[in-house]
Amino acid sequence: MFLSKRTVIKAIVLASIVVLLAISGVAYLNSIVMPTSIQVDPIYQGKADKKAVALTVNVDWGEENIPKMLDIFEKKDVKATFFLSGRWAEKHPELAAKIAEGGHEIGNHGHTHPHPDNLSIQQNIEEIKNAEAAIKEATGVITELFAPAYGEKKPHVAKAAAQIGYKTIYWSLDTIDWQNPKPQTIVERIVPRAFNGAIVLMHPKEPTVLALPEMIHKLKEQGYEFMTVTEIIS
């Protein structure tokens, strides 16, 4: 059976319209799920033109050391960025609120501190959103920055965060304080290696508390300003 030339042309035009509509639909959905203004790639450091560093504290434990850290930050006139897990904020709402009241930036560290590499995109989104709700309940802050637990960094982790408007933050310099090194070791891991825009990873550990005064003093001596993560990446 032969089709007329007119019928073939109609079929081609119709098929072209269907394809164009499909492409437009995908582009539209992508614009909803992944706005072009959102930072998709993870961030490891701030702007190099700023003589500044950002101190970050990932919090899922160590609440006994946080008041001491806050006292040091207040005396040294330093604002840090605290990434709180949702479950920690639920257990310690007054301390979470005190961090925010001290003028420190509050970020999101996931809700139950899972291994995000092992979660799906949707599961990662749920972790972030559940933590967001818990942190907002405790501090009144709606978080916009996400630090994945364990520093895990498979591409879908940052993609999940970006889909709900979060920037994913890692670090430039690591104190490795979870190994309980000597305070002087922490100072030596950071101060000589500092550079413009560096993001420093810490945890609420006793050696870190003991290292903080000297670390801050020496960095200030070198001319570094202390900024929050949002400030240093802006």
Side-chain angles (χ1 to χ4, degrees):
M1 177 179 178
F2 293 98
L3 298 175
S4 69
K5 184 176 180 181
R6 185 176 181 181
T7 301
V8 171
I9 292 172
K10 283 183 177 181
I12 292 172
V13 171
L14 181 60
S16 299
I17 292 172
V18 170
V19 170
L20 288 172
L21 287 173
I23 293 172
S24 299
V26 170
Y28 175 70
L29 288 174
N30 283 340
S31 71
I32 296 173
V33 175
M34 189 73 69
T36 56
S37 61
I38 295 301
Q39 172 76 36
V40 178
D41 294 332
I43 297 170
Y44 292 83
Q45 64 187 64
K47 304 296 184 182
D49 61 350
K50 298 178 181 179
K51 182 75 172 181
V53 297
L55 300 182
T56 69
V57 187
N58 286 1
V59 182
D60 186 53
W61 37 257
E63 52 278 355
E64 69 278 6
N65 293 309
I66 288 178
K68 302 171 191 175
M69 296 184 87
L70 294 178
D71 287 343
I72 292 169
F73 287 142
E74 183 177 7
K75 290 175 183 176
K76 298 290 186 180
D77 192 25
V78 169
K79 302 303 180 190
T81 300
F82 285 77
F83 289 95
L84 311 181
S85 72
R87 67 181 182 185
W88 186 89
E90 288 175 341
K91 291 178 183 177
H92 307 282
E94 292 181 359
L95 191 50
K98 187 175 181 181
I99 295 171
E101 289 164 4
H104 300 287
E105 183 171 40
I106 305 294
N108 189 313
H109 198 38
H111 191 63
T112 62
H113 206 268
H115 285 275
D117 278 359
N118 298 335
L119 303 182
S120 66
I121 286 180
Q122 186 56 42
Q123 287 171 326
N124 271 299
I125 288 173
E126 289 172 2
E127 274 286 323
I128 297 169
K129 294 299 288 184
N130 288 340
E132 178 184 297
I135 293 167
K136 183 177 185 295
E137 178 68 22
T139 68
V141 175
I142 299 176
T143 51
E144 298 178 351
L145 305 177
F146 172 57
Y150 307 104
E152 293 185 347
K153 54 188 70 173
K154 284 187 177 179
H156 74 279
V157 177
K159 183 177 180 181
Q163 285 189 8
I164 52 174
Y166 275 77
K167 295 181 177 71
T168 299
I169 308 297
Y170 291 103
W171 61 86
S172 319
L173 300 172
D174 191 354
T175 59
I176 320 177
D177 53 5
W178 53 272
Q179 292 181 343
N180 287 316
K182 293 180 180 180
Q184 189 60 34
T185 299
I186 292 176
V187 174
E188 292 169 359
R189 283 173 177 167
I190 303 304
V191 174
R193 298 180 173 88
F195 60 88
N196 291 8
I199 297 174
V200 180
L201 174 62
M202 306 185 296
H203 298 85
K205 300 284 291 184
E206 184 176 357
T208 309
V209 172
L210 295 174
L212 264 178
E214 183 179 357
M215 185 169 70
I216 292 171
H217 174 72
K218 288 190 172 182
L219 287 171
K220 283 186 174 182
E221 272 192 335
Q222 292 182 18
Y224 285 100
E225 181 184 354
F226 289 87
M227 292 182 168
T228 64
V229 168
T230 293
E231 289 171 337
I232 208 165
I233 67 175
S234 296

